[in-house]
Amino acid sequence: MSELIAITPERIGWLIWVVWGAIGVLAGIVSSRFVGPRTVFFCIIIGVVAAVFGGYLSTCFLGGGAVQLFLLSVLGAVFGAGIVLWIVAALTSHFRKDENL
């Protein structure tokens, strides 16, 4: 069981990857509500990639114990997905032709 949730800079358990992916899916769904209903899958894909990337980078560059590292990686996933989706939403709203969405 400890291998599933193990988190060190060298080794990350697969359950941690699932948590990061779930954060990305949730962030993508919330973001698609603001961007428009036609971009749901695009926002989910961008959210998952950004959350996994943010979680992985925070694991690599921030140290501490296992619990602290897990919490920092979750925060990194949340902020990574939030920032990237915010930028994508700003760019898509800028280039959108239909102003009524």
Side-chain angles (χ1 to χ4, degrees):
M1 181 68 177
S2 65
E3 294 176 4
L4 299 177
I5 58 173
I7 184 165
T8 62
E10 295 83 27
R11 196 172 118 235
I12 300 170
W14 68 271
L15 194 58
I16 305 299
W17 294 96
V18 171
V19 169
W20 294 340
I23 290 170
V25 168
L26 184 64
I29 290 171
V30 170
S31 173
S32 69
R33 299 285 293 167
F34 295 107
V35 175
R38 293 182 288 185
T39 61
V40 173
F41 296 113
F42 177 69
C43 287
I44 289 174
I45 290 170
I46 295 294
V48 169
V49 170
V52 168
F53 191 67
Y56 181 74
L57 285 180
S58 65
T59 302
C60 289
F61 294 117
L62 301 174
V67 174
Q68 181 185 11
L69 196 57
F70 172 72
L71 293 175
L72 288 174
S73 73
V74 168
L75 285 175
V78 169
F79 286 119
I83 290 170
V84 170
L85 285 170
W86 177 63
I87 291 170
V88 168
L91 289 175
T92 57
S93 68
H94 178 70
F95 292 112
R96 192 178 327 152
K97 295 187 188 331
D98 189 9
E99 300 278 332
N100 296 327
L101 290 178

Coordinates of all heavy atoms in Angstrom, one line a residue:
M1 N 0.8 -1.2 0.0 CA 0.0 0.0 0.0 C 0.9 1.3 0.0 O 0.5 2.2 -0.6 CB -0.9 0.0 1.2 CG -1.8 1.1 1.3 SD -3.0 1.1 0.0 CE -4.0 2.5 0.4
S2 N 2.0 1.2 0.7 CA 2.8 2.4 0.7 C 3.4 2.7 -0.6 O 3.8 3.9 -0.9 CB 3.9 2.2 1.8 OG 4.8 1.2 1.4
E3 N 3.6 1.7 -1.5 CA 4.1 2.0 -2.9 C 3.1 2.8 -3.7 O 3.5 3.5 -4.6 CB 4.4 0.7 -3.6 CG 5.6 0.0 -2.9 CD 5.8 -1.4 -3.6 OE1 5.1 -1.7 -4.6 OE2 6.7 -2.1 -3.1
L4 N 1.8 2.7 -3.4 CA 0.8 3.4 -4.2 C 0.9 4.9 -3.9 O 0.7 5.7 -4.8 CB -0.6 2.9 -3.8 CG -0.9 1.5 -4.1 CD1 -2.3 1.1 -3.6 CD2 -0.7 1.2 -5.6
I5 N 1.1 5.3 -2.7 CA 1.1 6.7 -2.3 C 2.5 7.3 -2.0 O 2.6 8.3 -1.5 CB 0.1 7.0 -1.2 CG1 0.5 6.1 0.1 CG2 -1.3 6.7 -1.6 CD1 -0.3 6.5 1.3
A6 N 3.5 6.5 -2.3 CA 4.9 7.0 -2.0 C 5.2 8.2 -2.9 O 4.9 8.2 -4.0 CB 5.9 5.8 -2.3
I7 N 5.8 9.1 -2.2 CA 6.2 10.3 -3.0 C 7.6 10.8 -2.5 O 7.8 11.2 -1.3 CB 5.1 11.4 -2.9 CG1 5.5 12.6 -3.7 CG2 4.9 11.8 -1.5 CD1 4.4 13.6 -4.0
T8 N 8.5 10.7 -3.4 CA 9.8 11.3 -3.2 C 10.2 11.9 -4.5 O 9.6 11.6 -5.5 CB 10.9 10.2 -2.8 OG1 11.0 9.2 -3.9 CG2 10.5 9.5 -1.5
P9 N 11.2 12.8 -4.6 CA 11.6 13.3 -5.9 C 12.1 12.3 -6.9 O 11.9 12.4 -8.1 CB 12.8 14.2 -5.5 CG 12.5 14.6 -4.1 CD 11.9 13.4 -3.5
E10 N 12.5 11.1 -6.4 CA 13.0 10.1 -7.3 C 11.8 9.1 -7.7 O 11.9 8.5 -8.8 CB 14.1 9.2 -6.6 CG 15.4 10.0 -6.4 CD 15.3 10.8 -5.1 OE1 14.6 10.4 -4.2 OE2 16.0 11.8 -5.0
R11 N 10.9 8.9 -6.8 CA 9.8 7.9 -7.1 C 8.5 8.5 -6.6 O 8.3 9.0 -5.5 CB 10.1 6.7 -6.3 CG 9.3 5.5 -6.8 CD 9.8 4.2 -6.1 NE 8.6 3.7 -5.4 CZ 8.6 3.5 -4.1 NH1 9.6 3.6 -3.4 NH2 7.5 3.1 -3.5
I12 N 7.5 8.4 -7.5 CA 6.2 8.9 -7.3 C 5.2 7.8 -7.5 O 5.2 7.1 -8.6 CB 5.8 10.1 -8.2 CG1 6.8 11.2 -8.0 CG2 4.4 10.6 -7.9 CD1 6.7 12.3 -9.0
G13 N 4.4 7.5 -6.5 CA 3.4 6.4 -6.6 C 2.3 6.8 -7.6 O 2.0 7.9 -7.9
W14 N 1.6 5.7 -8.2 CA 0.7 6.0 -9.3 C -0.6 6.7 -8.7 O -1.3 7.3 -9.5 CB 0.3 4.7 -10.0 CG -0.4 3.7 -9.3 CD1 0.1 2.7 -8.5 CD2 -1.8 3.6 -9.2 NE1 -0.9 2.0 -7.9 CE2 -2.1 2.5 -8.3 CE3 -2.9 4.3 -9.7 CZ2 -3.4 2.1 -8.0 CZ3 -4.2 3.9 -9.4 CH2 -4.4 2.8 -8.5
L15 N -0.9 6.5 -7.5 CA -2.1 7.2 -6.9 C -1.9 8.7 -6.9 O -2.8 9.5 -7.0 CB -2.4 6.6 -5.5 CG -3.7 7.0 -4.9 CD1 -4.8 6.5 -5.8 CD2 -3.8 6.4 -3.5
I16 N -0.6 9.2 -6.7 CA -0.3 10.6 -6.7 C -0.6 11.1 -8.1 O -1.2 12.2 -8.3 CB 1.1 10.8 -6.3 CG1 1.4 10.2 -5.0 CG2 1.4 12.3 -6.4 CD1 0.6 10.8 -3.8
W17 N -0.3 10.4 -9.2 CA -0.5 10.8 -10.5 C -2.0 10.9 -10.8 O -2.5 11.8 -11.5 CB 0.1 9.8 -11.5 CG 1.6 9.8 -11.5 CD1 2.4 8.9 -10.8 CD2 2.5 10.6 -12.2 NE1 3.7 9.2 -11.1 CE2 3.8 10.2 -11.9 CE3 2.3 11.7 -13.0 CZ2 4.9 10.9 -12.4 CZ3 3.4 12.4 -13.6 CH2 4.7 11.9 -13.2
V18 N -2.8 10.0 -10.2 CA -4.3 10.0 -10.3 C -4.8 11.2 -9.6 O -5.8 11.9 -10.2 CB -4.9 8.7 -9.8 CG1 -6.4 8.8 -9.7 CG2 -4.5 7.5 -10.6
V19 N -4.3 11.6 -8.5 CA -4.8 12.8 -7.8 C -4.5 14.0 -8.6 O -5.4 14.9 -8.8 CB -4.1 12.9 -6.4 CG1 -4.4 14.2 -5.8 CG2 -4.6 11.8 -5.5
W20 N -3.3 14.1 -9.2 CA -3.0 15.2 -10.0 C -3.9 15.3 -11.2 O -4.4 16.4 -11.7 CB -1.5 15.2 -10.5 CG -0.5 15.4 -9.4 CD1 -0.7 15.9 -8.2 CD2 0.8 15.0 -9.4 NE1 0.4 15.9 -7.5 CE2 1.4 15.3 -8.2 CE3 1.6 14.3 -10.4 CZ2 2.7 15.0 -7.9 CZ3 2.9 14.1 -10.1 CH2 3.5 14.4 -8.9
G21 N -4.2 14.1 -11.9 CA -5.1 14.1 -13.0 C -6.5 14.5 -12.6 O -7.2 15.2 -13.4
A22 N -7.0 14.1 -11.5 CA -8.3 14.5 -11.0 C -8.4 16.0 -10.8 O -9.4 16.6 -11.1 CB -8.7 13.7 -9.7
I23 N -7.4 16.5 -10.2 CA -7.3 18.0 -10.0 C -7.4 18.7 -11.4 O -8.1 19.7 -11.5 CB -6.0 18.4 -9.3 CG1 -6.1 17.9 -7.8 CG2 -5.8 19.9 -9.3 CD1 -4.9 18.1 -7.0
G24 N -6.7 18.2 -12.4 CA -6.7 18.8 -13.7 C -8.1 18.6 -14.4 O -8.5 19.6 -15.0
V25 N -8.8 17.5 -14.2 CA -10.1 17.3 -14.7 C -11.1 18.3 -14.1 O -11.8 19.0 -14.8 CB -10.6 15.9 -14.6 CG1 -12.1 15.8 -14.9 CG2 -9.8 14.9 -15.4
L26 N -11.0 18.4 -12.8 CA -11.9 19.4 -12.1 C -11.6 20.8 -12.5 O -12.5 21.6 -12.7 CB -11.7 19.2 -10.6 CG -12.6 20.1 -9.7 CD1 -14.1 19.7 -9.9 CD2 -12.2 19.9 -8.2
A27 N -10.3 21.2 -12.6 CA -10.0 22.5 -13.0 C -10.4 22.8 -14.5 O -10.9 23.9 -14.8 CB -8.5 22.8 -12.9
G28 N -10.3 21.8 -15.3 CA -10.8 21.9 -16.7 C -12.3 22.1 -16.8 O -12.8 22.9 -17.6
I29 N -13.0 21.4 -16.0 CA -14.5 21.5 -16.0 C -14.9 22.9 -15.5 O -15.8 23.5 -16.1 CB -15.1 20.4 -15.2 CG1 -15.0 19.0 -15.9 CG2 -16.6 20.7 -14.9 CD1 -15.4 17.8 -15.1
V30 N -14.3 23.3 -14.5 CA -14.6 24.7 -13.9 C -14.2 25.7 -14.9 O -15.0 26.7 -15.2 CB -13.9 24.9 -12.6 CG1 -14.0 26.3 -12.1 CG2 -14.5 24.0 -11.5
S31 N -13.1 25.6 -15.6 CA -12.7 26.6 -16.6 C -13.6 26.6 -17.8 O -13.8 27.7 -18.3 CB -11.2 26.3 -17.0 OG -10.8 27.1 -18.0
S32 N -14.1 25.5 -18.2 CA -14.9 25.4 -19.4 C -16.2 26.1 -19.2 O -16.9 26.6 -20.1 CB -15.1 24.0 -19.8 OG -16.0 23.3 -18.9
R33 N -16.6 26.2 -17.9 CA -17.9 27.0 -17.6 C -17.7 28.5 -17.9 O -18.7 29.1 -18.2 CB -18.3 26.8 -16.1 CG -18.5 25.4 -15.7 CD -19.8 24.9 -16.2 NE -20.9 25.7 -15.5 CZ -22.1 25.7 -15.9 NH1 -22.5 25.0 -16.9 NH2 -23.0 26.4 -15.2
F34 N -16.5 29.0 -17.8 CA -16.2 30.4 -18.1 C -15.8 30.6 -19.5 O -16.1 31.7 -20.0 CB -15.1 30.9 -17.1 CG -15.5 30.9 -15.7 CD1 -14.9 30.0 -14.8 CD2 -16.4 31.8 -15.2 CE1 -15.3 30.0 -13.5 CE2 -16.8 31.8 -13.9 CZ -16.2 30.9 -13.0
V35 N -15.2 29.7 -20.1 CA -14.7 29.9 -21.5 C -15.8 29.7 -22.5 O -16.0 30.4 -23.4 CB -13.5 29.0 -21.8 CG1 -13.1 29.1 -23.2 CG2 -12.3 29.3 -20.9
G36 N -16.6 28.6 -22.3 CA -17.7 28.3 -23.2 C -17.9 26.8 -23.3 O -17.0 26.0 -23.1
P37 N -19.1 26.4 -23.6 CA -19.4 24.9 -23.5 C -18.7 24.1 -24.7 O -18.6 22.9 -24.5 CB -20.9 24.9 -23.6 CG -21.3 26.2 -24.3 CD -20.3 27.2 -23.9
R38 N -18.3 24.8 -25.7 CA -17.7 24.1 -26.8 C -16.3 23.7 -26.5 O -15.7 22.9 -27.3 CB -17.7 24.9 -28.1 CG -19.2 25.1 -28.6 CD -19.1 25.9 -29.8 NE -18.8 27.3 -29.5 CZ -18.8 28.2 -30.4 NH1 -19.0 28.0 -31.6 NH2 -18.5 29.5 -30.0
T39 N -15.7 24.2 -25.5 CA -14.3 23.9 -25.2 C -14.1 23.0 -24.0 O -13.0 23.0 -23.4 CB -13.5 25.2 -25.0 OG1 -14.2 25.9 -23.8 CG2 -13.6 26.1 -26.2
V40 N -15.1 22.2 -23.7 CA -15.0 21.3 -22.5 C -13.8 20.4 -22.5 O -12.9 20.3 -21.6 CB -16.3 20.6 -22.2 CG1 -16.1 19.6 -21.1 CG2 -17.4 21.5 -22.0
F41 N -13.7 19.6 -23.6 CA -12.6 18.6 -23.7 C -11.2 19.3 -23.9 O -10.3 18.8 -23.3 CB -12.9 17.7 -24.9 CG -14.1 16.9 -24.7 CD1 -15.2 17.1 -25.6 CD2 -14.2 15.9 -23.7 CE1 -16.4 16.3 -25.4 CE2 -15.3 15.2 -23.6 CZ -16.4 15.4 -24.4
F42 N -11.2 20.4 -24.6 CA -9.9 21.1 -24.7 C -9.5 21.6 -23.3 O -8.3 21.4 -22.9 CB -10.1 22.3 -25.6 CG -8.9 23.2 -25.7 CD1 -7.8 22.8 -26.4 CD2 -8.9 24.5 -25.2 CE1 -6.7 23.6 -26.5 CE2 -7.8 25.3 -25.3 CZ -6.7 24.8 -26.0
C43 N -10.4 22.1 -22.5 CA -10.0 22.6 -21.2 C -9.6 21.5 -20.2 O -8.7 21.6 -19.4 CB -11.2 23.4 -20.6 SG -11.4 25.0 -21.3
I44 N -10.3 20.3 -20.4 CA -9.9 19.2 -19.5 C -8.6 18.7 -19.9 O -7.8 18.4 -19.0 CB -11.0 18.1 -19.6 CG1 -12.3 18.5 -19.0 CG2 -10.5 16.8 -19.0 CD1 -13.5 17.6 -19.1
I45 N -8.2 18.6 -21.1 CA -6.9 18.1 -21.5 C -5.8 19.1 -21.1 O -4.8 18.6 -20.5 CB -6.9 17.9 -23.1 CG1 -7.7 16.7 -23.4 CG2 -5.4 17.7 -23.5 CD1 -7.9 16.5 -24.9
I46 N -6.0 20.3 -21.3 CA -5.1 21.3 -20.8 C -4.9 21.3 -19.3 O -3.8 21.4 -18.8 CB -5.5 22.8 -21.3 CG1 -5.4 22.8 -22.8 CG2 -4.6 23.8 -20.7 CD1 -4.1 22.7 -23.4
G47 N -6.0 21.2 -18.6 CA -6.0 21.1 -17.2 C -5.3 19.9 -16.6 O -4.5 20.0 -15.7
V48 N -5.5 18.8 -17.2 CA -4.8 17.6 -16.8 C -3.3 17.7 -17.0 O -2.5 17.4 -16.1 CB -5.3 16.3 -17.4 CG1 -4.5 15.1 -17.2 CG2 -6.8 16.0 -16.9
V49 N -2.9 18.1 -18.2 CA -1.5 18.3 -18.5 C -0.8 19.3 -17.6 O 0.3 19.0 -17.0 CB -1.3 18.6 -20.0 CG1 0.2 19.0 -20.3 CG2 -1.7 17.5 -20.9
A50 N -1.5 20.4 -17.4 CA -0.9 21.4 -16.5 C -0.8 21.0 -15.0 O 0.2 21.3 -14.4 CB -1.7 22.7 -16.6
A51 N -1.8 20.3 -14.6 CA -1.8 19.8 -13.2 C -0.7 18.8 -12.9 O 0.0 18.8 -11.9 CB -3.2 19.2 -12.8
V52 N -0.6 17.8 -13.9 CA 0.5 16.8 -13.7 C 1.8 17.5 -13.8 O 2.7 17.2 -13.0 CB 0.3 15.7 -14.8 CG1 1.5 14.8 -14.9 CG2 -0.9 14.9 -14.5
F53 N 2.0 18.4 -14.7 CA 3.3 19.1 -14.9 C 3.6 19.9 -13.6 O 4.7 19.9 -13.1 CB 3.3 20.0 -16.1 CG 4.6 20.5 -16.5 CD1 5.6 19.7 -16.9 CD2 4.8 21.9 -16.4 CE1 6.9 20.2 -17.3 CE2 6.1 22.4 -16.8 CZ 7.1 21.6 -17.2
G54 N 2.6 20.7 -13.1 CA 2.8 21.4 -11.9 C 3.1 20.6 -10.7 O 3.9 20.9 -9.8
G55 N 2.4 19.5 -10.5 CA 2.6 18.6 -9.4 C 4.0 17.9 -9.5 O 4.7 17.8 -8.5
Y56 N 4.4 17.5 -10.7 CA 5.7 16.9 -10.8 C 6.8 17.9 -10.6 O 7.8 17.6 -9.9 CB 5.8 16.3 -12.2 CG 7.2 15.7 -12.5 CD1 7.4 14.4 -11.9 CD2 8.2 16.3 -13.2 CE1 8.7 13.8 -12.1 CE2 9.4 15.7 -13.4 CZ 9.6 14.4 -12.8 OH 10.8 13.8 -13.0
L57 N 6.7 19.1 -11.1 CA 7.7 20.1 -10.9 C 7.8 20.5 -9.4 O 9.0 20.7 -8.9 CB 7.5 21.4 -11.7 CG 7.8 21.2 -13.2 CD1 7.5 22.5 -13.9 CD2 9.3 20.8 -13.4
S58 N 6.7 20.6 -8.7 CA 6.8 21.0 -7.3 C 7.4 19.8 -6.5 O 8.1 20.1 -5.5 CB 5.4 21.3 -6.8 OG 4.5 20.2 -6.8
T59 N 7.2 18.6 -6.9 CA 7.8 17.5 -6.3 C 9.3 17.5 -6.5 O 10.1 17.2 -5.6 CB 7.3 16.1 -6.8 OG1 5.9 16.1 -6.6 CG2 7.9 14.9 -6.1
C60 N 9.8 17.8 -7.7 CA 11.2 17.8 -8.0 C 11.9 19.0 -7.3 O 13.1 18.8 -6.8 CB 11.4 18.0 -9.5 SG 11.0 16.5 -10.4
F61 N 11.3 20.1 -7.1 CA 12.1 21.3 -6.7 C 11.8 21.7 -5.2 O 12.5 22.6 -4.7 CB 11.8 22.5 -7.6 CG 12.4 22.3 -9.0 CD1 11.5 22.2 -10.1 CD2 13.7 22.1 -9.2 CE1 12.0 22.0 -11.3 CE2 14.2 21.9 -10.4 CZ 13.4 21.9 -11.5
L62 N 10.7 21.2 -4.6 CA 10.4 21.5 -3.2 C 10.7 20.3 -2.4 O 10.3 19.2 -2.7 CB 9.0 21.9 -3.1 CG 8.6 23.2 -3.9 CD1 7.1 23.4 -3.8 CD2 9.4 24.4 -3.4
G63 N 11.3 20.5 -1.2 CA 11.7 19.3 -0.4 C 10.9 19.2 0.8 O 9.9 20.0 1.1
G64 N 11.2 18.3 1.7 CA 10.5 18.1 2.9 C 10.1 16.6 3.1 O 10.5 15.7 2.4
G65 N 9.3 16.4 4.1 CA 8.9 15.0 4.4 C 7.8 14.6 3.4 O 7.4 15.3 2.5
A66 N 7.4 13.3 3.6 CA 6.4 12.7 2.6 C 5.1 13.5 2.6 O 4.5 13.8 1.6 CB 6.2 11.3 2.9
V67 N 4.6 13.8 3.8 CA 3.3 14.5 3.9 C 3.4 15.9 3.3 O 2.5 16.4 2.6 CB 2.7 14.5 5.3 CG1 1.5 15.3 5.4 CG2 2.5 13.0 5.8
Q68 N 4.4 16.6 3.7 CA 4.7 17.9 3.2 C 4.9 18.0 1.7 O 4.3 18.8 1.0 CB 5.9 18.6 3.9 CG 6.1 20.0 3.5 CD 7.4 20.5 4.1 OE1 8.2 19.8 4.7 NE2 7.6 21.8 4.0
L69 N 5.6 17.0 1.2 CA 5.8 16.9 -0.2 C 4.5 16.6 -1.0 O 4.3 17.2 -2.0 CB 6.9 15.9 -0.5 CG 7.5 15.9 -1.9 CD1 8.2 17.2 -2.2 CD2 8.6 14.8 -2.0
F70 N 3.7 15.8 -0.4 CA 2.4 15.5 -1.0 C 1.5 16.7 -1.1 O 0.9 17.1 -2.1 CB 1.7 14.4 -0.3 CG 0.3 14.2 -0.8 CD1 0.0 13.6 -2.0 CD2 -0.8 14.5 0.0 CE1 -1.3 13.4 -2.5 CE2 -2.1 14.4 -0.5 CZ -2.3 13.8 -1.7
L71 N 1.4 17.4 0.0 CA 0.6 18.7 0.1 C 1.1 19.7 -0.9 O 0.4 20.4 -1.6 CB 0.5 19.2 1.5 CG -0.3 18.3 2.5 CD1 -0.2 18.9 3.9 CD2 -1.7 18.1 2.0
L72 N 2.5 19.9 -0.9 CA 3.0 20.9 -1.9 C 2.8 20.5 -3.3 O 2.6 21.3 -4.2 CB 4.5 21.0 -1.6 CG 4.9 21.8 -0.3 CD1 6.4 21.7 0.0 CD2 4.4 23.2 -0.3
S73 N 2.9 19.2 -3.6 CA 2.6 18.7 -5.0 C 1.2 18.9 -5.4 O 0.9 19.3 -6.5 CB 3.0 17.3 -5.2 OG 2.1 16.4 -4.5
V74 N 0.2 18.8 -4.4 CA -1.2 19.0 -4.7 C -1.4 20.5 -5.0 O -2.1 20.9 -5.9 CB -2.1 18.5 -3.6 CG1 -3.5 19.0 -3.7 CG2 -2.1 17.0 -3.6
L75 N -0.8 21.4 -4.1 CA -0.9 22.8 -4.3 C -0.2 23.2 -5.7 O -0.7 24.1 -6.4 CB -0.2 23.5 -3.2 CG -1.0 23.6 -1.9 CD1 -0.2 24.3 -0.8 CD2 -2.3 24.3 -2.1
G76 N 0.9 22.6 -6.0 CA 1.5 22.9 -7.3 C 0.7 22.5 -8.5 O 0.6 23.2 -9.5
A77 N -0.1 21.4 -8.3 CA -1.0 20.9 -9.4 C -2.1 21.9 -9.5 O -2.5 22.2 -10.6 CB -1.5 19.5 -9.1
V78 N -2.7 22.4 -8.4 CA -3.8 23.3 -8.4 C -3.4 24.6 -9.0 O -4.0 25.1 -10.0 CB -4.4 23.5 -7.0 CG1 -5.3 24.7 -7.0 CG2 -5.0 22.2 -6.5
F79 N -2.3 25.2 -8.6 CA -1.8 26.4 -9.1 C -1.3 26.3 -10.6 O -1.6 27.2 -11.4 CB -0.7 27.0 -8.2 CG -1.2 27.6 -7.0 CD1 -0.8 27.1 -5.8 CD2 -2.2 28.6 -7.0 CE1 -1.3 27.6 -4.6 CE2 -2.7 29.2 -5.8 CZ -2.2 28.6 -4.6
G80 N -0.7 25.2 -10.9 CA -0.3 25.0 -12.3 C -1.4 25.0 -13.2 O -1.4 25.6 -14.3
A81 N -2.5 24.2 -12.9 CA -3.6 24.1 -13.7 C -4.4 25.4 -13.8 O -4.9 25.8 -14.9 CB -4.6 23.0 -13.2
G82 N -4.5 26.1 -12.7 CA -5.2 27.4 -12.6 C -4.5 28.4 -13.5 O -5.2 29.1 -14.2
I83 N -3.2 28.5 -13.4 CA -2.5 29.6 -14.2 C -2.6 29.3 -15.6 O -2.9 30.2 -16.5 CB -1.1 29.7 -13.7 CG1 -1.0 30.3 -12.3 CG2 -0.2 30.5 -14.6 CD1 0.3 30.2 -11.6
V84 N -2.3 28.0 -16.0 CA -2.4 27.7 -17.5 C -3.8 27.9 -18.0 O -3.9 28.4 -19.1 CB -1.8 26.3 -17.7 CG1 -2.0 25.8 -19.1 CG2 -0.3 26.2 -17.4
L85 N -4.8 27.4 -17.3 CA -6.2 27.6 -17.8 C -6.6 29.0 -17.8 O -7.4 29.4 -18.7 CB -7.1 26.7 -17.0 CG -7.0 25.2 -17.2 CD1 -7.8 24.5 -16.2 CD2 -7.5 24.9 -18.6
W86 N -6.1 29.8 -16.9 CA -6.4 31.2 -17.0 C -5.8 31.9 -18.2 O -6.5 32.7 -18.9 CB -5.9 31.9 -15.7 CG -6.1 33.4 -15.6 CD1 -7.3 34.0 -15.6 CD2 -5.1 34.4 -15.6 NE1 -7.0 35.4 -15.6 CE2 -5.7 35.6 -15.6 CE3 -3.7 34.3 -15.6 CZ2 -5.0 36.8 -15.5 CZ3 -3.0 35.5 -15.5 CH2 -3.6 36.7 -15.5
I87 N -4.6 31.5 -18.5 CA -3.9 32.1 -19.7 C -4.6 31.6 -21.0 O -4.9 32.4 -21.9 CB -2.4 31.7 -19.8 CG1 -1.7 32.4 -18.6 CG2 -1.8 32.0 -21.1 CD1 -0.3 31.9 -18.4
V88 N -5.0 30.3 -21.0 CA -5.7 29.8 -22.2 C -7.1 30.4 -22.4 O -7.5 30.8 -23.5 CB -5.8 28.2 -22.1 CG1 -6.8 27.7 -23.1 CG2 -4.5 27.6 -22.3
A89 N -7.8 30.7 -21.3 CA -9.1 31.3 -21.3 C -9.0 32.7 -21.8 O -9.8 33.2 -22.6 CB -9.7 31.3 -20.0
A90 N -7.9 33.4 -21.4 CA -7.7 34.8 -21.8 C -7.4 34.8 -23.3 O -7.9 35.7 -24.1 CB -6.6 35.5 -21.1
L91 N -6.6 33.9 -23.8 CA -6.2 33.9 -25.2 C -7.4 33.5 -26.1 O -7.6 34.0 -27.2 CB -5.1 32.9 -25.5 CG -3.7 33.4 -24.9 CD1 -2.7 32.3 -25.1 CD2 -3.3 34.6 -25.6
T92 N -8.2 32.5 -25.6 CA -9.4 32.0 -26.4 C -10.4 33.1 -26.5 O -11.1 33.2 -27.5 CB -9.9 30.7 -26.0 OG1 -10.3 30.8 -24.6 CG2 -9.0 29.6 -26.2
S93 N -10.6 33.8 -25.4 CA -11.6 34.9 -25.4 C -11.2 36.1 -26.3 O -12.0 36.8 -26.9 CB -11.9 35.4 -24.0 OG -10.8 36.1 -23.4
H94 N -9.9 36.3 -26.4 CA -9.4 37.3 -27.2 C -9.6 37.0 -28.7 O -9.9 37.9 -29.5 CB -7.9 37.6 -26.9 CG -7.3 38.6 -27.8 ND1 -7.6 39.9 -27.7 CD2 -6.4 38.5 -28.8 CE1 -6.9 40.6 -28.6 NE2 -6.2 39.8 -29.3
F95 N -9.4 35.8 -29.1 CA -9.5 35.4 -30.5 C -10.9 34.8 -30.9 O -11.1 34.5 -32.0 CB -8.4 34.3 -30.8 CG -7.0 34.8 -30.7 CD1 -6.2 34.4 -29.8 CD2 -6.6 35.7 -31.7 CE1 -4.9 34.9 -29.7 CE2 -5.3 36.2 -31.6 CZ -4.5 35.8 -30.7
R96 N -11.8 34.8 -29.9 CA -13.1 34.4 -30.2 C -13.9 35.4 -31.1 O -13.9 36.6 -30.8 CB -13.9 34.1 -28.9 CG -15.2 33.4 -29.2 CD -15.9 33.1 -27.9 NE -15.1 32.9 -26.8 CZ -15.4 33.1 -25.5 NH1 -16.6 33.6 -25.3 NH2 -14.5 32.9 -24.6
K97 N -14.5 34.9 -32.1 CA -15.3 35.8 -33.1 C -16.7 36.1 -32.5 O -17.2 37.2 -32.7 CB -15.3 35.1 -34.4 CG -14.0 35.0 -35.1 CD -14.2 34.5 -36.5 CE -13.0 34.1 -37.2 NZ -11.7 34.6 -37.1
D98 N -17.3 35.1 -31.9 CA -18.7 35.3 -31.4 C -18.6 35.9 -30.0 O -18.2 35.3 -29.0 CB -19.4 34.0 -31.4 CG -20.9 34.2 -31.1 OD1 -21.4 35.3 -31.0 OD2 -21.5 33.2 -30.8
E99 N -19.0 37.2 -29.8 CA -18.9 37.9 -28.6 C -20.0 37.5 -27.6 O -19.9 37.8 -26.4 CB -18.9 39.4 -28.8 CG -17.8 39.9 -29.7 CD -16.6 40.1 -28.9 OE1 -16.7 40.4 -27.8 OE2 -15.5 40.0 -29.6
N100 N -21.0 36.8 -28.0 CA -22.2 36.5 -27.1 C -22.0 35.3 -26.3 O -22.9 35.0 -25.5 CB -23.4 36.4 -28.0 CG -23.8 37.7 -28.7 OD1 -23.5 38.7 -28.1 ND2 -24.3 37.6 -29.9
L101 N -20.9 34.5 -26.4 CA -20.7 33.3 -25.6 C -20.3 33.6 -24.2 O -19.5 34.2 -23.8 CB -19.8 32.4 -26.3 CG -20.3 31.7 -27.5 CD1 -19.3 30.8 -28.1 CD2 -21.5 30.9 -27.2

